Amino acid sequence: RRAPRCVPWAPMAAARAWIVLGVVLLARCTSGLQLILQPGEHRCVGQELDVEDTATFTISVVGNEHVAEGKQSMVMCSITTPSGGTLMSKKLTYKLETLTNKPQDTGLHNLCFYSSARDVRRVQFNVEVDQTRDFAKEVARDKGHLVDAQLARAEDALRSINKEIDFMSRREQSLKEESERANSRIEWFSMLSIVVLLGTSVVNV
């Protein structure tokens, strides 16, 4: 019986590497995503955005070479925020439209298209998200958090010191009361001793 033939690992790894490289190059060569809109169809896509991001929406309706750029495409486009606000709402032409916006809300932003044309329309769009943070604001916010943490620790230390002071005061008061009771007992014992001595002296006389 013949043993099963094994494929060497190195060629398989090389093949996978070429496949991954090809996918990356293909992704870079494409200029964006495309949607096919049937007559009367309404379609939406979503993009998660943060208030610290800067989003650039690039939208166009794809036409043939005989279609003028400024001609109406009968496609309506709108961009809405998670809170229901509208960033853009306009009828698209065959000219490339670009909108750069800094979101006011964090969450899913919807990019919607509606076609009122009698034939199929093809929409091409791309969303570029710049996630560059305002480091000055982040540093200031971090410093504020650090100051708050230090103040909280100082408050905890003060509360602990106050508890210790209260405990020592109560202990001092307790010791004082014990001392007073002991002194009172000594005084009564002394008086009793004097009475006994006087009584004994009287009896002896």
Side-chain angles (χ1 to χ4, degrees):
R1 184 178 180 181
R2 298 179 61 185
R5 188 176 181 183
C6 297
V7 179
W9 179 83
M12 290 180 63
R16 290 177 181 175
W18 279 108
I19 292 174
V20 171
L21 180 62
V23 171
V24 172
L25 290 177
L26 180 62
R28 290 193 174 185
C29 290
T30 56
S31 56
L33 300 175
Q34 291 189 359
L35 282 179
I36 302 299
L37 294 175
Q38 299 296 331
E41 186 177 12
H42 181 269
R43 299 184 67 179
C44 294
V45 293
Q47 173 68 45
E48 286 283 347
L49 295 175
D50 190 83
V51 292
E52 298 291 340
D53 298 335
T54 300
T56 301
F57 299 87
T58 305
I59 310 164
S60 66
V61 178
V62 180
N64 56 43
E65 57 184 3
H66 302 293
V67 178
E69 286 188 351
K71 184 179 179 181
Q72 292 291 332
S73 64
M74 307 300 290
V75 175
M76 188 74 179
C77 173
S78 64
I79 303 174
T80 57
T81 65
S83 59
T86 302
L87 296 180
M88 185 185 79
S89 180
K90 65 180 304 183
K91 293 181 179 179
L92 298 179
T93 64
Y94 290 92
K95 183 180 179 181
L96 191 67
E97 301 281 351
T98 301
L99 172 67
T100 300
N101 184 271
K102 194 171 184 63
Q104 301 298 321
D105 300 325
T106 297
L108 187 66
H109 290 64
N110 289 316
L111 179 61
C112 298
F113 302 95
Y114 171 72
S115 175
S116 59
R118 295 182 179 180
D119 53 356
V120 176
R121 290 290 186 267
R122 185 156 52 100
V123 179
Q124 181 173 290
F125 64 93
N126 187 34
V127 182
E128 295 182 1
V129 180
D130 182 6
Q131 296 181 336
T132 302
R133 299 291 190 258
D134 191 341
F135 291 104
K137 290 183 179 179
E138 291 190 359
V139 169
R141 184 166 56 248
D142 292 340
K143 286 184 177 179
H145 293 164
L146 180 60
V147 171
D148 292 340
Q150 291 176 347
L151 288 176
R153 286 197 293 269
E155 290 176 356
D156 291 338
L158 287 175
R159 282 194 292 267
S160 178
I161 292 171
N162 287 331
K163 288 181 180 179
E164 290 291 336
I165 292 174
D166 292 339
F167 174 75
M168 295 301 293
S169 298
R170 288 194 299 269
R171 186 174 181 182
E172 183 181 359
Q173 183 66 26
S174 176
L175 291 174
K176 185 177 180 180
E177 292 175 357
E178 289 291 337
S179 177
E180 290 177 354
R181 283 195 294 267
N183 291 334
S184 177
R185 289 173 183 174
I186 291 172
E187 289 177 359
W188 280 105
F189 180 76
S190 300
M191 293 178 63
L192 183 60
S193 298
I194 292 171
V195 170
V196 170
L197 289 173
L198 290 174
T200 303
S201 299
V202 170
V203 170
N204 289 332
V205 169

